Amino acid sequence: MSLIVKKFGGSSVANAEKVMNVATIITDEYKAGNSVVVVVSAQGDTTDDFLEKAAEINKKPSKREMDVLLSAGEQISMSLLAMAIEKIGCPVISLTGWQAGVTTNSVYGMARIKTINTERIKKELDSNRIVIVAGFQGINKYDDITTLGRGGSDTSAVALAAALHADKCEIYTDVDGVYTADPRIVKDAQKLDDISYDEMLELASLGANVLHNRSVELALKYDVKLEVKSSFERVPGTTVKEVKNVEKMLVRGVTRDNDVATVSLVGVENTPGKAFKVFSLLAKGNINVDMILQSIGRENSKDITFSVPLNQLESAIELLEENLELVGAQKIDSEKEVSKVSIVGAGMVSNPGVAAKMFEALYNAQINIMMISTSEIKVSVIIDKADAEKAVKAIHDKFFNHE
Ligand code: ADP
Ligand code: ASP
Ligand code: MG
């Protein structure tokens, strides 16, 4: 007998028929003699709809109230799913994040799980019930509801699997695994049988939203066996694990992230300490700076450009403008119409020329590169947002169809 955590995303429970389908997957596992804990997301576009509803009333609502609203989506789906399982005739109970013992820090909208008290879940499992837990939510030290950031139900599932020492954690979604690129953009993307935690973490952090990046981080830290699979077709998915033999895997995936923006500080005084001042100011403001580009100083002035998550652009600019004297720039420019396109692969560290091949693909597609950054297992470029899909296709074609 195994303990299995199964997570179902919004598209898997989008309507009554899909809820019944998911209920069958769960009860089949239960009837085979296994203990099952289920994490469920809000149905279909519910979370987006809630965001729109809020914006109709208040463009800048408090993050606390936003979390109260957003967490309601998961509460709807958990109860509907429990009703579907009741109908099949299996014992089941649904629990909110706090009922399931999930405590988080107090960063509303982007909370991190701190502890999970599994007492209640264990009690229900001991009573032979299937336990359904609302994903994406927890409770903070003020007894307020918090949410974990968009896509956070994956993280709820992995955290529960770790806390319960589950035998495996299965993430069911609308694709049957992790592909070499988003199969919605690249029609001939290939499904991967397995992928290493490190590569998956990079892909997820660089825009492949098939898994929430925090969920991969936790899976790595607590050694959780993770599988991404389809809730519509019963076929093997992609296993995320420690993959040792990386020699041949030059590039495992191409991805794009549209949620980025760039900020340029034009005409910064060309003296020591400017970068220090700018980036410590941004760090204090909790702005996540990613790529940084500094031009060579000429005539006592230089330009510094950097990228930030799109949702932090306004705060970054406000902060810089408030401290314009300290920053010492003549002008602050920003650009929202950009995208980050990346290749990821653990094998590239020992293979020179990978970046050049990516740049060649972009050149052949006549796409201009604005910024570049590299690490041992990834190369990222910032380009025009309008070119992002074309770039992903061209790069994918170069690495996967012309080798
Ligand atoms: P869920 O609602 O189940 O959490 P998501 O929409 O969050 O589903 O994630 C699944 C989607 O991730 C897929 O529909 C696919 O378009 C997208 N995706 C992006 N990159 C990849 C990739 N490399 N492999 C598979 N899917 C990807
Ligand atoms: N419902 C939340 C969202 O749409 C959480 C999730 O789906 O994982 O972001
Ligand atoms: Mg998701």
Side-chain angles (χ1 to χ4, degrees), residues 108 166 170 178 184 218 270 294 306 308 320 392:
Y108 298 104
E170 298 173 322
V178 179
R184 288 181 207 285
L218 284 181
N270 193 19
Q294 181 178 300
F306 55 89
V308 292
L320 291 165
V392 170

Side-chain angles (χ1 to χ4, degrees), residues 152 170-172 192 223 230 254 292 294 317 368 390 398:
E170 298 173 322
I171 307 286
Y172 288 83
L192 302 166
D223 205 13
S230 165
V254 186
I292 301 174
Q294 181 178 300
I317 292 183
N368 193 35
K390 191 166 100 179
K398 187 93 188 157

Side-chain angles (χ1 to χ4, degrees), residues 1-50:
M1 196 192 98
S2 304
L3 170 57
I4 301 168
V5 173
K6 291 179 183 288
K7 179 259 169 177
F8 295 91
S11 47
S12 304
V13 290
N15 56 36
E17 193 191 330
K18 288 180 176 164
V19 171
M20 282 316 298
N21 167 56
V22 165
T24 316
I25 297 175
I26 296 165
T27 51
D28 283 355
E29 194 79 78
Y30 176 81
K31 286 175 187 166
N34 298 306
S35 296
V36 190
V37 173
V38 176
V39 172
V40 72
S41 295
Q43 290 185 288
D45 297 328
T46 305
T47 310
D48 290 326
D49 294 345
F50 283 166

Side-chain angles (χ1 to χ4, degrees), residues 7-11 39-48 51 70-71 73-74 77 135-137 147-156 209 212:
K7 179 259 169 177
F8 295 91
S11 47
V39 172
V40 72
S41 295
Q43 290 185 288
D45 297 328
T46 305
T47 310
D48 290 326
L51 287 168
L70 294 190
S71 62
E74 273 64 18
S77 48
F136 178 56
Q137 57 176 262
T147 66
L148 309 182
R150 296 306 306 269
S153 294
D154 300 332
T155 298
S156 307
N209 58 350
H212 193 229

Side-chain angles (χ1 to χ4, degrees), residues 57-73:
I57 289 171
N58 184 345
K59 290 267 181 280
K60 277 199 159 180
S62 70
K63 290 186 172 164
R64 181 198 182 276
E65 295 311 324
M66 208 59 217
D67 276 3
V68 176
L69 176 65
L70 294 190
S71 62

Side-chain angles (χ1 to χ4, degrees), residues 72-120:
E74 273 64 18
Q75 207 164 318
I76 296 172
S77 48
M78 77 186 205
S79 52
L80 293 176
L81 185 54
M83 291 173 200
I85 293 172
E86 281 175 354
K87 190 172 168 193
I88 295 174
C90 294
V92 60
I93 185 163
S94 69
L95 302 172
T96 61
W98 70 265
Q99 286 177 309
V102 181
T103 64
T104 71
N105 67 11
S106 294
V107 185
Y108 298 104
M110 197 49 98
R112 281 184 168 231
I113 296 176
K114 284 174 79 176
T115 55
I116 301 184
N117 177 350
T118 54
E119 214 174 302
R120 176 74 189 269

